[in-house]
Amino acid sequence: KPNLLPFGPMLVGMQFLTSGFLLPYLFTRTPEFESQVYKEDIDGDLQQKVAEWRPLGGFLSTVGTASIVWSFIGRPEFGEFTERYNSFIDLLSIDRVGSSFIVDLAIFAIFQSWFVDDDLQRRGVSEDELMGLRNVAKFVPFFGLAAYITLRPELPSRNSEME
């Protein structure tokens, strides 16, 4: 759906100040009057492909899993996990940028539950359908959303409705 703020500049800004750009973008979304969204409503060929690309969820899960594994076994020259963890906590206590990422993670987890319901509504799914997928996507941060991206129903196409 259209937004009051342009997506491109906001996306670039999100790379530097994450929630400082994302939250205004989310709060200025235009109201939805139609609950049904079609594939053809997504602007741009690349955006249409990425928005419905099923392997994206698996790719994101792989990146997340690799990050978690790396936190436990990566860079052993910096000490055992407990030593690296304590160093990380010390860093968070003095580094505003690092601390802001923790806040961002909490904000994203909260918004994730809101967006799943919105997305299912746009896909024509009623509130009592797909409860298992809905709950996993809403209440399991990151990995639940990755599973949702892979398993959610496709957006309908206007072309298939005309046939």
Side-chain angles (χ1 to χ4, degrees):
K1 71 182 178 177
N3 197 316
L4 300 174
L5 298 173
F7 181 71
M10 296 304 287
L11 182 64
V12 171
M14 284 181 224
Q15 304 310 304
F16 301 102
L17 292 174
T18 56
S19 60
F21 279 82
L22 179 63
L23 293 177
Y25 182 77
L26 296 177
F27 286 120
T28 59
R29 294 187 330 161
T30 55
E32 293 181 0
F33 298 108
E34 290 183 34
S35 61
Q36 189 70 51
V37 175
Y38 297 94
K39 288 180 183 179
E40 294 81 15
D41 294 336
I42 300 173
D43 294 332
D45 290 336
L46 179 62
Q47 289 89 333
Q48 282 181 5
K49 290 175 185 169
V50 171
E52 293 296 309
W53 190 52
R54 296 274 179 221
L56 181 60
F59 174 74
L60 294 174
S61 292
T62 302
V63 170
T65 301
S67 298
I68 291 169
V69 169
W70 179 260
S71 73
F72 286 104
I73 63 172
R75 304 300 299 260
E77 66 269 21
F78 290 112
E80 296 295 318
F81 175 75
T82 53
E83 186 178 348
R84 287 182 284 128
Y85 176 77
N86 290 333
S87 176
F88 174 68
I89 296 302
D90 288 343
L91 180 65
L92 286 180
S93 69
I94 59 172
D95 184 23
R96 288 181 52 198
V97 175
S99 300
S100 72
F101 281 117
I102 301 298
V103 173
D104 287 345
L105 290 173
I107 290 170
F108 296 153
I110 292 167
F111 273 103
Q112 175 176 325
S113 64
W114 175 34
F115 288 138
V116 168
D117 284 334
D118 281 357
D119 187 59
L120 284 172
Q121 178 186 356
R122 283 190 288 279
R123 292 171 185 278
V125 176
S126 67
E127 289 186 25
D128 59 342
E129 292 180 296
L130 298 175
M131 290 307 293
L133 179 61
R134 183 185 303 262
N135 287 333
V136 166
K138 289 171 70 168
F139 301 118
V140 179
F142 189 76
F143 291 104
L145 190 57
Y148 173 77
I149 289 171
T150 300
L151 302 172
R152 67 186 176 183
E154 284 190 36
L155 281 172
S157 173
R158 284 195 175 92
N159 297 335
S160 64
E161 284 190 0
M162 291 180 189
E163 294 173 356

